Amino acid sequence: AADYEKQIKLVPTRQPLTLPEMLNLKMFQMHLSQKQLAALLQEPESRISELMKGKRPLTLRLAKKLHKILSIDAGFILETA
């Protein structure tokens, strides 16, 4: 049972507070892997991975893509970047 529970992605129970949390929520909602998200955004997988780990700052170009492609609120992006 424990192995089964580890395989299931649960629905988030609160609103995302950070950009990585928002990206994880969008990936869940759109049934995307991190690799698929990178392809959708036309960004290298390493860049998305670093962004999600907080190791890379958000660029204006990527912020625009997050807003346009994933429909993430521009205000949220600015507040959490």
Side-chain angles (χ1 to χ4, degrees):
D3 290 335
Y4 175 75
E5 290 173 358
K6 289 178 185 176
Q7 294 174 355
I8 296 177
K9 292 186 177 182
L10 300 176
V11 176
T13 57
R14 64 175 175 82
Q15 290 293 342
L17 301 176
T18 65
L19 188 56
E21 288 178 2
M22 178 61 82
L23 291 175
N24 278 318
L25 176 62
K26 291 294 184 176
M27 288 169 50
F28 176 81
Q29 291 173 338
M30 299 173 77
H31 307 284
L32 296 174
S33 67
Q34 193 168 309
K35 182 177 182 176
Q36 292 168 322
L37 177 64
L40 179 66
L41 296 172
Q42 297 180 342
E43 293 287 337
E45 292 175 47
S46 60
R47 186 168 294 142
I48 299 302
S49 176
E50 290 172 353
L51 179 66
M52 294 185 73
K53 291 178 184 176
K55 294 182 178 183
R56 177 180 287 270
L58 182 64
T59 63
L60 179 59
R61 182 178 53 80
L62 184 52
K64 288 179 179 180
K65 287 182 182 182
L66 296 176
H67 175 67
K68 184 176 181 181
I69 297 171
L70 299 180
S71 301
I72 297 176
D73 181 67
F76 179 85
I77 293 171
L78 289 173
E79 290 174 14
T80 59

